[in-house]
């Protein structure tokens, strides 16, 4: 490039000494392969004679989203590198410093960058692909969020669409799925996670197993189903293996086992094969590598991706033989990756408190397959706004103060103490299930034809004498009470009997319990009633075993169940369990 003009089209500015141009070109090529748009300038000496080099240099850095600096013995003596680093710091551009070799950094550079930010490249740049992919993507997300917020304050508010262009609220439309995870066919309704989806797909391009972890309720399953899976199909031209449940994600559920199981194959392998549509005899006898090798391939695809969602369930079986079977399962995954010759990638998704357990489980295979980790953080405020407003943009629009108020209230955490009192705390994150239930409840309350949602609409939805805070805070309780009452009415069972039966799904300390069906019952509920609650997404049913297993669909719905447990019912529960 002869000028800095091309930087306007790029995301990553590569800062380097001209003596290290080969390394810079290697880095630029690698970043392009990873899907980024890098910029590097190669002829500073000739360009500096134009007299406007400093202005154009700072302007070019202002146009990119992140600067990657190659720190070598040549770079620490380069005036250009020093100027580029200073320009990036002055303009708030994120810097990723890569130290090549044993170069000793001058004190001014150490103070400028901070030693804890410097990445030591001990072998070659190719070994840094996964690190760079996630680090650059994080910087891009940070830059885009900052730019979006600044734009909101700098630019005039765009003219809102006329009422005539909006469809208005329509009965029968369901833009918010409530407690249900998003499915692959709901991609148009899933918003707020574009950058995270792009990051996951980019990292997956250069790894064999991607370890995805995050808080319960952060939206891992929805992200995988509605955003990541379609992006893999489109961007990587790979087939996402379908599960028997109709979604992209396969649950490794320990309870989906044949009876008896003593003479069968590895229980985790069995579960995955059954999820992928394999018959019972194959699942009992085949390895996962063998089964995948024999599966029909989709034409015009470069390979396949297996998604193992809710992977923490692999640790739920406390039988003595489980540790050995877990290790055998991971070895089978490694064999499947090797035998596919690059044709198979795996995503493992689970709650973050199991990260140490998963890392321990994967440790024996890390030497010969590429493993990367991605932490799914809570949705940003920009993402929250998109998740609230974008699913209904065809129908209506929200007043800004309504969205602000919903986000503020959704951040409040309500905890039911053992004495029954509710403690309210202000938090920084939002549970996506809570957001979806609140938005679904608000949508249902709107009159048909509504094109503008105001604070008065939220107050009307809350009900006479109730505040907006109560509307948001009680949304989970309202969902629980409504679905339990409806299920009781449909099944012809007294409401209090259903409430009492639901208590069995929560332990005394507030943990979700999984109950097995047997002799027509699930705990204290009939199978018919449990199935009705499952259809309403209060319970989650795993039907793959001889006897199905049921649990409350989400951790957030534990509190409403506990709230209904008064002293009398607690004593009765204790007595019936004896």
């Amino acid at each position: 490039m002869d000028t800095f003009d091309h930087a306007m089209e790029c995301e990553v500015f590569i800062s380097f000494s001209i003596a290290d141009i080969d390394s810079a070109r290697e880095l630029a090529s690698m970043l392009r392969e990873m899907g980024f748009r890098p910029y590097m300038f190669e002829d500073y000496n000739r360009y500096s004679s134009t007299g406007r080099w400093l202005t154009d240099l700072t302007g070019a850095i202002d146009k990119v989203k992140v600067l990657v600096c190659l720190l070598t013995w040549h770079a620490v003596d380069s005036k250009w590198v020093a100027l580029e680093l200073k320009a990036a710091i002055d303009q708030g551009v994120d810097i990723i410093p890569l130290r090549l070799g044993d170069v000793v950094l001058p004190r001014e550079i150490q103070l400028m960058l901070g030693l804890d930010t410097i990445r030591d490249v001990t072998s070659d740049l190719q070994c840094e692909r996964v690190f760079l992919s996630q680090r650059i993507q994080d910087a891009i997300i940070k830059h885009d969020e900052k730019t979006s917020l600044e734009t909101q304050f700098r630019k005039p508010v765009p003219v809102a669409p006329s009422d005539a262009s909006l469809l208005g609220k329509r009965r029968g439309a369901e833009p918010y799925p409530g407690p249900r995870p998003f499915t692959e066919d709901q991609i148009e309704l899933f918003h707020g996670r574009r950058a995270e989806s792009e990051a996951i797909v980019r990292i997956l391009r250069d790894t064999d197993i991607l370890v995805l972890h995050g808080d319960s309720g952060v939206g891992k399953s929805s992200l995988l189903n509605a955003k990541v899976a379609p992006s893999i199909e489109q961007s990587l031209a790979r087939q996402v293996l379908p599960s028997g449940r109709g979604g992209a994600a396969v649950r490794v559920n320990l309870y989906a086992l044949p009876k008896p199981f003593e003479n069968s194959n590895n229980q985790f392998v069995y579960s995955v094969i059954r999820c992928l549509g394999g018959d019972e005899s194959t699942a009992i006898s085949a390895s996962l590598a063998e089964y995948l090798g024999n599966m029909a391939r989709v034409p015009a695809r470069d390979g396949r991706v297996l998604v193992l969602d809710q992977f923490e369930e692999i640790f739920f079986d406390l039988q003595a033989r489980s540790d050995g079977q877990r290790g055998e399962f991971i070895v089978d995954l490694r064999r499947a990756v090797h035998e596919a010759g690059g044709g198979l990638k795996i995503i493992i998704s689970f709650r973050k408190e199991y990260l140490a357990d998963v890392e321990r489980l994967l440790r024996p295979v890390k030497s010969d397959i590429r493993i990367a980790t991605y932490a799914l953080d809570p949705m940003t405020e920009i993402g929250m706004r998109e998740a609230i407003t974008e699913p209904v943009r065809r129908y209506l629009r929200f007043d800004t103060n309504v969205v602000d108020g919903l986000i503020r209230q959704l951040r409040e955490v309500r905890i039911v103490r053992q004495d029954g009192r509710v403690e309210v705390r202000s938090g920084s994150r939002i549970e996506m299930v809570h957001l979806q239930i609140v938005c679904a409840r608000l949508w249902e309350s709107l009159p048909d034809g509504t094109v503008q949602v105001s604070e008065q609409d939220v107050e009307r939805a809350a009900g006479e004498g109730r505040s907006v805070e109560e509307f948001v805070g009680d949304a989970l309780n309202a969902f629980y009470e409504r679905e339990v009452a409806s299920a009781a009415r449909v099944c012809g069972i007294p409401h209090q009997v259903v409430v009492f039966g639901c208590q069995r799904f929560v332990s005394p300390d507030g943990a979700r319990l999984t109950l097995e069906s047997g002799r027509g019952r699930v705990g204290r509920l009939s199978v018919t009633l449990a199935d009705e609650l499952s259809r309403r997404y209060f319970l989650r049913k795993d039907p793959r075993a001889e006897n199905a297993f049921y649990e409350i669909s989400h951790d957030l719905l534990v509190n409403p169940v506990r709230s209904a447990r008064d002293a009398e019912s607690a004593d009765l529960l204790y007595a019936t369990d004896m």
Side-chain angles (χ1 to χ4, degrees):
M1 293 290 174
D2 291 330
T3 72
F4 292 108
D5 295 340
H6 183 60
M8 296 181 64
E9 306 168 7
C10 299
E11 302 165 309
V12 186
F13 189 104
I14 299 177
S15 175
F16 64 100
S17 165
I18 197 66
D20 302 313
I21 193 167
D22 289 341
S23 295
R25 287 172 176 167
E26 179 188 358
L27 175 61
S29 176
M30 184 173 71
L31 293 180
R32 280 190 288 270
E33 290 174 3
M34 294 159 60
F36 296 110
R37 299 190 303 275
Y39 174 81
M40 56 181 289
F41 189 72
E42 302 185 12
D43 195 357
Y44 287 98
N45 291 331
R46 182 163 63 86
Y47 189 68
S48 62
S49 64
T50 64
R52 58 187 179 91
W53 57 272
L54 184 57
T55 300
D56 283 2
L57 170 63
T58 55
I61 292 175
D62 186 49
K63 296 295 187 296
V64 299
K65 301 179 180 182
V66 58
L67 181 145
V68 178
C69 180
L70 297 179
L71 294 174
T72 66
W73 287 107
H74 301 292
V76 297
D77 292 329
S78 169
K79 70 173 184 178
W80 289 101
V81 171
L83 287 168
E84 288 160 359
L85 290 175
K86 184 178 185 305
I89 291 172
D90 290 345
Q91 295 171 68
V93 175
D94 208 355
I95 299 173
I96 303 175
L98 301 177
R99 176 159 54 185
L100 279 62
D102 57 354
V103 58
V104 177
L105 300 179
R107 180 170 175 76
E108 56 268 26
I109 291 183
Q110 294 182 26
L111 294 174
M112 184 185 299
L113 300 177
L115 284 176
D116 58 335
T117 70
I118 297 170
R119 175 80 170 188
D120 288 315
V121 180
T122 56
S123 53
D124 59 58
L125 286 169
Q126 292 295 329
C127 296
E128 303 299 323
R129 292 176 72 97
V130 173
F131 164 78
L132 284 171
S133 181
Q134 181 155 4
R135 185 67 180 79
I136 291 174
Q137 187 61 52
D138 288 345
I140 290 173
I141 293 172
K142 177 181 174 183
H143 176 276
D144 289 347
E145 289 175 358
K146 176 184 175 184
T147 302
S148 178
L149 288 173
E150 290 176 348
T151 301
Q152 291 179 27
F153 289 103
R154 285 202 309 257
K155 293 185 177 180
V157 177
V159 178
S162 65
D163 291 351
S165 67
L166 297 170
L167 298 176
K169 189 260 179 162
R170 293 191 173 185
R171 188 173 303 176
E174 296 184 351
Y176 305 105
R180 296 168 289 170
F182 284 81
T183 60
E184 195 167 347
D185 58 0
Q186 291 178 312
I187 186 172
E188 293 185 359
L189 301 179
F190 185 82
H191 295 276
R193 288 290 196 185
R194 179 188 58 81
E196 291 88 341
S197 175
E198 291 177 355
I200 289 170
V201 173
R202 275 176 170 155
I203 295 171
L204 188 64
R205 188 190 304 271
D206 296 297
T207 195
D208 298 313
I209 296 180
L210 174 60
V211 174
L212 172 67
H213 64 91
D215 290 322
S216 174
V218 79
K220 299 180 292 297
S221 296
S222 292
L223 175 62
L224 289 171
N225 289 338
K227 204 71 176 176
V228 172
S231 296
I232 289 171
E233 298 269 3
Q234 182 176 3
S235 302
L236 300 186
R238 286 178 175 265
Q239 175 198 11
V240 178
L241 293 173
S243 77
R245 299 183 306 163
V250 174
R251 287 181 65 198
V252 182
N253 191 316
L254 301 183
Y255 311 116
L257 308 177
K259 308 287 186 181
F261 194 82
E262 286 75 11
N263 299 320
S264 62
N265 194 8
N266 183 286
Q267 56 186 325
F268 310 117
V269 173
Y270 171 90
S271 181
V272 174
I273 292 177
R274 290 289 279 161
C275 281
L276 293 173
D279 58 48
E280 185 165 308
S281 62
T282 301
I284 290 174
S285 60
S287 70
L288 183 58
E290 291 167 346
Y291 181 78
L292 292 175
N294 293 326
M295 279 185 71
R297 284 173 166 75
V298 175
R301 292 295 180 190
D302 294 336
R304 298 181 291 193
V305 177
L306 174 65
V307 182
L308 302 177
D309 194 19
Q310 298 182 26
F311 194 75
E312 64 270 14
E313 292 184 0
I314 201 171
F315 301 107
F316 289 1
D317 188 350
L318 301 180
Q319 296 179 24
R321 65 177 183 154
S322 292
D323 266 344
Q325 292 224 350
R326 292 183 191 111
E328 292 169 2
F329 177 60
I330 297 302
V331 170
D332 200 358
L333 289 180
R334 175 177 62 181
R335 179 185 164 198
V337 169
H338 282 169
E339 292 187 1
L344 176 67
K345 294 180 181 293
I346 300 171
I347 298 177
I348 294 174
S349 172
F350 53 90
R351 299 204 302 264
K352 72 175 185 180
E353 56 263 35
Y354 290 89
L355 178 59
D357 296 307
V358 173
E359 288 181 336
R360 175 181 56 82
L361 194 60
L362 293 174
R363 195 172 298 137
V365 302
K366 290 187 72 172
S367 60
D368 56 353
I369 58 175
R370 299 170 299 171
I371 300 175
T373 300
Y374 186 87
L376 184 62
D377 294 324
M379 189 175 281
T380 63
E381 182 162 334
I382 294 173
M384 297 172 199
R385 293 178 181 278
E386 291 180 2
I388 293 171
T389 61
E390 289 300 304
V392 294
R393 64 178 305 176
R394 297 169 51 221
Y395 302 100
L396 50 79
R397 58 177 174 263
F398 285 83
D399 286 351
T400 301
N401 54 351
V402 171
V403 178
D404 291 342
L406 289 175
I407 291 175
R408 183 171 59 253
Q409 294 303 320
L410 282 164
R411 281 195 168 123
E412 291 190 347
V413 181
R414 288 162 173 78
I415 301 172
V416 180
R417 302 172 63 92
Q418 288 192 341
D419 58 7
R421 291 187 297 114
V422 178
E423 181 180 348
V424 179
R425 300 176 185 173
S426 180
S428 60
R429 56 168 289 182
I430 287 179
E431 295 275 8
M432 293 312 300
V433 170
H434 195 182
L435 182 148
Q436 290 295 325
I437 288 177
V438 167
C439 290
R441 188 181 177 201
L442 177 58
W443 169 265
E444 291 167 2
S445 72
L446 297 172
D448 287 352
T450 299
V451 295
Q452 183 86 21
V453 181
S454 65
E455 287 184 320
Q456 288 71 33
D457 291 305
V458 183
E459 292 169 358
R460 190 183 308 112
E464 186 175 352
R466 292 171 59 84
S467 66
V468 175
E469 290 80 5
E470 289 174 313
F471 170 75
V472 174
D474 292 343
L476 297 173
N477 285 333
F479 168 79
Y480 166 66
E481 293 166 2
R482 182 185 67 184
E483 299 308 325
V484 164
S486 298
R489 185 170 58 253
V490 168
C491 297
I493 297 173
H495 175 265
Q496 193 58 35
V497 172
V498 184
V499 172
F500 179 70
C502 290
Q503 302 291 319
R504 186 65 181 80
F505 290 89
V506 180
S507 70
D509 59 354
R512 280 190 292 172
L513 298 177
T514 301
L515 304 182
E516 182 180 9
S517 63
R519 297 183 179 180
R521 303 199 64 79
V522 182
R524 301 184 184 92
L525 303 178
S526 68
V527 168
T528 301
L529 182 53
D531 285 342
E532 182 64 24
L533 290 170
S534 174
R535 190 180 69 79
R536 296 174 179 279
Y537 298 99
F538 172 71
L539 294 181
R540 181 169 59 199
K541 175 183 179 181
D542 188 336
R544 289 173 283 148
E546 178 182 322
N547 294 327
F549 285 76
Y550 298 77
E551 64 180 351
I552 293 175
S553 62
H554 196 276
D555 287 339
L556 274 180
L557 296 174
V558 167
N559 269 348
V561 177
R562 296 184 74 196
S563 298
R565 183 181 292 178
D566 54 24
E568 182 179 351
S569 64
D571 291 342
L572 187 57
L573 282 168
Y574 176 78
T576 56
D577 282 339
M578 291 186 65

